[in-house]
Amino acid sequence: MQSYKQDFIEFMVESGVLRFGDFTLKSGRKSPFFMNAGGYVTGRQLGRLGRFYAEAIHEQFGDDFDVLFGPAYKGIPLSVATVIAYEELYGKQIRYCANRKEVKDHGDTGILLGSSLQDGDRVVIIEDVTTSGKSIEETYPILKAQADVDIVGLMVSLNRMEVGPSGTMTAMDEITETYGFPTTAIVTMAEVLEHLYNRPCGGQIVVDDTLKAAIDAYYEQYGVKN
């Protein structure tokens, strides 16, 4: 596993963004882990987060893209932090773009924030996590309505690796099958477990045998069946 992935896993835990316990997800599923990117609130945290995303995007998609699109609301700070980091790390000027939840009819009108979109723009979508694929269902038509853009791919911070609505593949794989662009993550939940299981993080064992058994049971129910 690349060192930036290991650092990112510890960063999520230390920032209180990735937590373990008993949680009820928006889907109604009872989960032993929960990830909330809204927990990144300081300048230092957002700066580091942008660099992690930039490294992952550079590794997975390269530099041949023009726009980083962050769906409202959590995608907005993610896209801003990452385009700043991309310029710092790779010297590449990427435009940021995001959407509003409601169309603005005065001043800076329209549904977009940041850069406008032009025909032929190559776009990477950035999100925190994808569980059901519903956000892309909303985002994709917004992008295509603005211009004839080419979507290079989707980058999220954590791939939860859960079965999607079809019941046969992960939500990330369903997005690829439905829309035709690749999806990837800075880390997968399998990588999180590989790195944290019975290993100290911040001076304590975060994933012990009991928690590992609970996570394994969760994937028995909600993971993809081979």
Side-chain angles (χ1 to χ4, degrees), residues 20-24 30-33:
F20 298 92
D22 295 303
F23 305 95
T24 301
K30 304 288 187 181
S31 173
F33 60 93

Side-chain angles (χ1 to χ4, degrees), residues 53-202:
Y53 266 108
E55 286 186 78
I57 291 170
H58 180 77
E59 180 181 273
Q60 295 295 326
F61 299 132
D63 294 331
D64 186 19
F65 68 101
D66 310 292
V67 177
L68 194 60
F69 184 85
Y73 288 104
K74 289 180 181 177
I76 298 173
L78 296 181
S79 62
V80 173
T82 303
V83 295
I84 293 170
Y86 217 94
E87 194 279 330
E88 291 175 346
L89 291 174
Y90 306 112
K92 170 91 175 183
Q93 295 287 343
I94 303 294
R95 290 142 47 206
Y96 104 88
C97 181
N99 67 291
R100 297 181 171 96
K101 287 289 189 179
E102 300 85 19
V103 177
K104 188 178 178 184
D105 60 4
H106 61 280
D108 181 19
T109 59
I111 198 169
L112 298 182
L113 296 167
S115 173
S116 60
L117 296 173
Q118 309 296 326
D119 288 350
D121 275 343
R122 290 174 57 78
V123 178
V124 171
I125 303 171
I126 183 171
E127 289 200 285
D128 57 345
V129 66
T130 296
T131 302
S132 67
K134 183 172 178 55
S135 60
I136 295 300
E137 186 179 321
E138 298 170 352
T139 298
Y140 186 82
I142 290 173
L143 286 169
K144 287 298 188 178
Q146 302 305 307
D148 184 17
V149 299
D150 177 16
I151 300 178
V152 175
L154 165 69
M155 176 64 71
V156 303
S157 58
L158 175 66
N159 181 354
R160 290 183 59 103
M161 302 175 62
E162 296 174 37
V163 68
S166 73
T168 60
M169 63 182 72
T170 67
M172 299 275 284
D173 288 339
E174 284 185 7
I175 290 170
T176 296
E177 183 170 272
T178 301
Y179 299 102
F181 55 81
T183 61
T184 189
I186 302 177
V187 294
T188 67
M189 200 59 201
E191 289 171 327
V192 169
L193 295 178
E194 175 189 338
H195 185 65
L196 292 182
Y197 179 47
N198 280 338
R199 181 177 296 171
C201 178

